[in-house]
Amino acid sequence: MRKILFSLLVICFAQGAFAQKQLVWQLLGMTTYQTDPGDSGELNYSPQFPAVLETQFEGEEVVISGYLIPIDLEAGKYALSKNPFTSCFFCGNAGPETVMELHFSENPGRFATDEYLMIKGTLQLNRNGSGLFFVLRNAEIHG
């Protein structure tokens, strides 16, 4: 009986220890921001992240689905968007809270623009006003 109980505890702990948190665009959309004109004429964005994002998701391994947007294929730069390319932040049809920067742990190869994927990685919140608000480090295709 003790062996069975011990085995169940090990299984439950292992599942909890390796489970990723599901991140949804609605939560990221709770991020507000202010814009300030920079010295070079570009707008600087100052994000204000919701407390739940900072306390429960930052630095955690998360899973999120979205549309893959290749930024620079040779440099391996990609973004994940809530919306397809024609409606995304880069086309001026959405806000900066609808896109995140991806840093793949290994070269993911080539993808078609707007391929809808589930991505796993560690969430970093970018507070410095340059770059995208959300960064997914050690990203990889999930599922």
Side-chain angles (χ1 to χ4, degrees), residues 66-70 81 83-86 88 111-117:
Y67 295 94
L68 193 71
I69 310 288
S81 176
N83 305 309
F85 183 72
T86 56
C88 82
F111 296 99
T113 299
D114 284 346
E115 189 167 343
Y116 194 81
L117 298 170

Side-chain angles (χ1 to χ4, degrees), residues 24 29 77 103 132 137:
V24 294
K77 293 187 178 190
H103 292 267
L132 299 179
R137 301 229 177 257

Side-chain angles (χ1 to χ4, degrees), residues 25-75:
W25 291 104
Q26 291 83 350
L27 177 59
L28 298 177
M30 293 170 58
T31 300
T32 59
Y33 58 92
Q34 296 177 343
T35 57
D36 301 307
D39 295 336
S40 63
E42 290 184 22
L43 284 180
N44 291 325
Y45 292 89
S46 300
Q48 288 86 45
F49 300 106
V52 65
L53 199 56
E54 294 178 318
T55 60
Q56 295 184 26
F57 289 89
E58 185 172 22
E60 298 289 327
E61 188 171 71
V62 299
V63 175
I64 187 168
S65 297
Y67 295 94
L68 193 71
I69 310 288
I71 305 298
D72 182 346
L73 293 177
E74 289 186 20

Side-chain angles (χ1 to χ4, degrees), residues 5-20 61:
L5 182 58
F6 178 75
S7 297
L8 287 174
L9 286 172
V10 168
I11 291 169
C12 289
F13 175 76
Q15 287 177 342
F18 298 108
Q20 301 86 27
E61 188 171 71

